[in-house]
């Protein structure tokens, strides 16, 4: 098994010339990048579903449980990202701990996570665009708003099926063109969008607070119906599984290590800081939302925020929030695409993918060829696959990466106990082991077809590895 040594990784990280990415991100940018990808489609749709079907007002507790579950993995990510500050995230960590084959598998899995993650948000974006336009009496034909697997009922009662989700494809293309122009430009754009997004959440909390009806909190944890996961404490747990999707994305910060000015200090701040900020916001958000309307009212609604706002005289707020959501989603897509091209970049630099994908643009210094290829790939998902499918694939792909990272920490602490670590995951081995267990439980709760898709994706990856990467690996030629 070929393993890339930590020393080699550090040497690579130290190179800074025209062939490498620019080190332009500070702690503040990194936290903003984390928040930028965390707050997205999930918060504005799943919170209501988790409350209505599983936890009631105790969805706040579901948020806390999910946050603790994520924190185990986040702590492991933080140790790695500070220790091995090259781009590539879990892929690179696996290269240093588990060897090249595992590194390939995890890199391939990350490519999936970020592609389907971006596609999920792009599709949700298209749905919100539809809602936004309808405020102004505009209606786009369903044929260009839906994937071929979905149907809509027309005003005359006829059933039409979709051809392509065109707005979802377009938003992916637009965002790609932004990131090709450079990371620091994208970071500025991201910071502005994140500020707007956080502002919307804060405005919702502050205005909504006055319209909380305490009766909606009675009982705070509705009695279990006798079925596991329908209210009661088991409902809180099931709710946590549902809102897990809302939290994911903080791991993307780890892919930016190569572009951080001071990764040893700032990577842990970026990863853990964004998780903490979002946890606080989510708990308050869930508290206010379930206080404004009764949890039962959120049943089957993809836009719970709109239901809550109807309880206030601020109808205009609904439109404003949807507008902000449209803008806010672009930063999730942006950061997903950014992270993904960095993983691709590292895999290509190591010789496991064709060299052209690690060439950086002479002027923008971004891996633009990787960006273009991935844009096409994600565009296909966004245009032709239904949202549930890509959403669940995102979760399973993310969870697999989390498991590998926790495992990596256990292994590296054994193998290289004395290597310098500027951030140490506390209570090893307890934290990584708990991380692995929580993630496995959540993976098991996902449906079988999602598992099949993951296995199929990994199988394709293995074929490519054995047919291409294994022979061309740079590490192989140097050893
Ligand atoms: N890389 C990813 N896992 N991206 C998906 C981020 C999902 C984000 N938490 C949301 O609620 O929309």
């Amino acid at each position: 098994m070929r393993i890339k040594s930590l020393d080699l990784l550090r040497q690579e990280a130290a190179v800074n010339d025209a062939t490498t990415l620019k080190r332009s991100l500070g702690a503040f940018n990194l936290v903003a990048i984390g928040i930028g990808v965390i707050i997205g489609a999930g918060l504005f749709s799943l919170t209501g579903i988790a409350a209505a079907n599983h936890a009631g007002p105790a969805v706040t507790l579901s948020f806390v449980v999910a946050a603790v579950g994520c924190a185990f993995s986040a702590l492991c990510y933080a140790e790695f990202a500070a220790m091995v500050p090259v781009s590539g995230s879990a892929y690179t960590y696996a290269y240093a701990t588990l060897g090249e084959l595992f590194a390939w598998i995890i890199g391939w899995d990350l490519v999936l996570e970020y592609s389907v993650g971006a596609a999920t948000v792009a599709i949700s974006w298209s749905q919100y665009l539809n809602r936004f336009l309808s405020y102004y009496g505009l209606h786009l034909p369903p044929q260009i708003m839906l994937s071929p697997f979905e149907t809509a009922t027309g005003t005359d009662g006829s059933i039409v099926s979709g051809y392509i989700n065109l707005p979802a494809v377009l938003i992916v293309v637009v965002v790609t063109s932004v990131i090709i122009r450079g990371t620091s430009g994208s970071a500025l754009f991201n910071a502005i969008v994140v500020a707007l997004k956080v502002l919307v959440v804060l405005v919702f909390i502050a205005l909504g607070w006055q319209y909380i009806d305490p009766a909606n909190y009675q009982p705070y944890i509705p009695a279990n119906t006798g079925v596991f996961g329908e209210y009661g404490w088991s409902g809180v747990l099931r709710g946590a599984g549902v809102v897990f999707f809302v939290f994911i994305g903080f791991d993307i910060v780890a892919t930016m290590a190569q572009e951080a000015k001071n990764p040893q200090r700032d990577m842990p701040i970026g990863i853990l800081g964004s998780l903490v900020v979002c946890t606080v916001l989510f708990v308050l958000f869930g508290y206010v939302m379930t206080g404004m309307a009764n949890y039962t009212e959120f049943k089957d609604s993809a836009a719970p925020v709109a239901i809550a706002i109807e309880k206030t005289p601020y109808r205009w707020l609904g439109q404003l929030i949807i507008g902000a959501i449209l803008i806010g989603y672009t930063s999730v897509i942006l950061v997903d695409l950014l992270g993904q091209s960095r993983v691709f970049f590292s895999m290509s630099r190591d010789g496991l993918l064709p060299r052209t994908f690690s060439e950086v643009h002479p002027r923008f210094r971004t891996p633009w060829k990787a960006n273009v290829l991935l844009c096409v790939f994600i565009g296909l998902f966004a245009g032709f696959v239904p949202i549930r499918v890509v959403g669940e694939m995102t979760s399973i792909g993310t969870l697999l990466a989390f498991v590998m990272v926790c495992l990596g920490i256990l292994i590296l602490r054994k193998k290289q106990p004395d290597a310098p670590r500027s951030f140490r995951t506390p209570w090893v081995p307890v934290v990584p082991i708990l991380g692995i267990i929580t993630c496995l439980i959540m993976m098991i709760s996902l449906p079988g077809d999602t598992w099949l898709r993951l296995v199929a994706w990994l199988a394709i990856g293995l074929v490519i590895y054995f047919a291409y990467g294994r022979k061309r690996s740079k590490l192989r030629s140097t050893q």
Side-chain angles (χ1 to χ4, degrees):
M1 191 84 73
R2 288 196 283 265
I3 290 195
K4 204 165 176 179
S5 74
L6 283 181
D7 288 333
L8 186 57
L9 285 172
R10 291 216 183 84
Q11 273 167 31
E12 283 180 8
V15 180
N16 183 20
D17 59 28
T19 66
T20 58
L21 305 166
K22 247 193 239 173
R23 288 204 176 271
S24 59
L25 305 171
F28 179 79
N29 299 125
L30 292 169
V31 175
I33 285 177
I35 299 177
V37 74
I38 296 175
I39 302 185
L43 182 66
F44 299 108
S45 58
L46 296 177
T47 309
I49 292 174
N53 300 340
H54 304 293
V59 67
T60 49
L61 299 180
S62 297
F63 274 130
V64 174
V65 173
V68 172
C70 288
F72 297 135
S73 302
L75 288 165
C76 295
Y77 261 106
E79 173 169 326
F80 261 133
M83 191 176 179
V84 193
V86 284
S87 66
S89 179
Y91 157 74
T92 313
Y93 314 151
Y95 217 156
T97 51
L98 301 161
E100 185 173 280
L101 178 61
F102 279 97
W104 168 266
I105 293 175
I106 204 68
W108 191 246
D109 171 62
L110 287 181
V111 170
L112 174 75
E113 172 194 334
Y114 301 155
S115 312
V116 286
T120 308
V121 180
I123 298 171
S124 180
W125 188 85
S126 161
Q127 292 170 348
Y128 268 103
L129 178 73
N130 206 11
R131 194 176 276 269
F132 189 73
L133 293 178
S134 69
Y135 280 128
Y136 302 98
L138 295 167
H139 297 279
L140 296 175
Q143 285 90 339
I144 59 157
M145 298 291 288
L146 295 173
S147 80
F149 302 94
E150 294 163 301
T151 54
T153 322
T155 33
D156 55 350
S158 60
I159 307 255
V160 276
S161 60
Y163 298 136
I164 179 175
N165 193 333
L166 205 55
V169 176
L170 284 181
I171 189 73
V172 173
V173 173
V174 170
V175 174
T176 300
S177 58
V178 172
I179 60 173
I180 288 180
R181 319 211 100 233
T183 309
S184 47
S186 324
L188 176 66
F189 172 81
N190 185 60
I192 296 170
V193 174
V194 168
L196 180 76
K197 203 149 57 168
V198 172
L199 188 73
V200 163
V201 174
L202 290 176
V203 167
F204 177 80
I205 293 170
L207 288 181
W209 199 277
Q210 306 152 37
Y211 293 89
I212 290 178
D213 176 0
N216 288 328
Y217 294 137
Q218 296 304 330
Y220 201 74
I221 305 180
N224 183 263
T225 57
V227 180
F228 183 90
E230 285 184 15
Y231 315 115
W233 282 103
S234 69
V236 169
L237 286 182
R238 270 303 274 283
V242 173
V243 297
F244 170 74
F245 184 89
V246 182
F247 279 99
I248 54 181
F250 58 85
D251 50 308
I252 293 259
V253 177
T255 60
M256 309 283 159
Q258 180 119 42
E259 284 139 283
K261 282 189 216 144
N262 182 359
Q264 274 81 5
R265 193 197 68 173
D266 293 347
M267 293 313 290
I269 299 182
I271 295 171
L272 299 169
S274 56
L275 185 59
V276 170
V277 172
C278 288
T279 305
V280 173
L281 287 176
F282 293 173
V283 170
L284 290 172
F285 184 88
Y287 181 78
V288 170
M289 207 173 88
T290 51
M292 291 167 76
N294 194 275
Y295 67 92
T296 51
E297 294 176 62
F298 297 124
K299 221 166 183 104
D300 303 323
S301 164
V305 177
I307 295 179
I309 287 173
E310 269 166 28
K311 307 281 173 187
T312 73
Y314 309 118
R315 294 293 161 82
W316 51 269
L317 191 65
Q319 276 175 56
L320 207 69
I321 288 190
I322 289 179
I325 286 176
L326 282 177
I327 301 173
Y329 278 14
T330 58
S331 79
V332 187
I333 302 172
L334 180 110
V335 180
D336 261 337
L337 295 187
L338 216 53
Q340 185 190 39
S341 65
R342 299 311 179 252
V343 175
F344 225 68
F345 175 87
S346 311
M347 292 168 85
S348 141
R349 179 150 273 205
D350 292 335
L352 302 183
L353 282 170
R355 266 308 156 114
T356 52
F357 298 124
S358 53
E359 278 162 29
V360 296
H361 191 280
R363 202 148 51 86
F364 303 135
R365 280 180 79 180
T366 51
W368 66 285
K369 285 185 189 157
N371 290 325
V372 171
L373 176 80
L374 294 168
C375 174
V376 173
F377 183 62
I378 298 167
L380 290 174
F381 273 110
F384 299 106
V385 181
I387 194 162
R388 179 191 74 86
V389 174
V390 279
E392 284 173 2
M393 282 171 82
T394 311
S395 292
I396 202 163
T398 309
L399 287 164
L400 180 63
F402 284 8
V403 170
M404 298 289 235
V405 169
C406 294
L407 205 62
I409 287 294
L410 288 175
I411 294 176
L412 208 56
R413 285 285 183 99
K414 262 251 143 52
K415 280 216 253 169
Q416 305 211 21
D418 307 318
R421 289 169 168 86
S422 65
F423 176 87
R424 299 179 72 90
T425 308
W427 303 309
V428 174
V430 178
V431 165
I433 290 177
L434 286 176
I436 294 172
I437 295 175
T438 355
C439 292
L440 286 180
I441 292 176
M442 286 198 260
M443 284 176 89
I444 291 168
S445 73
L446 287 165
D449 60 333
T450 303
W451 275 88
L452 277 181
R453 290 190 187 98
L454 177 70
V455 171
W457 175 255
L458 294 179
I460 297 172
L462 286 180
V463 171
I464 297 180
Y465 175 70
F466 285 107
Y468 182 92
R470 205 173 125 81
K471 294 175 218 128
R472 293 196 177 61
S473 154
K474 200 169 144 199
L475 196 59
R476 173 185 180 154
S477 57
T478 53
Q479 272 176 359

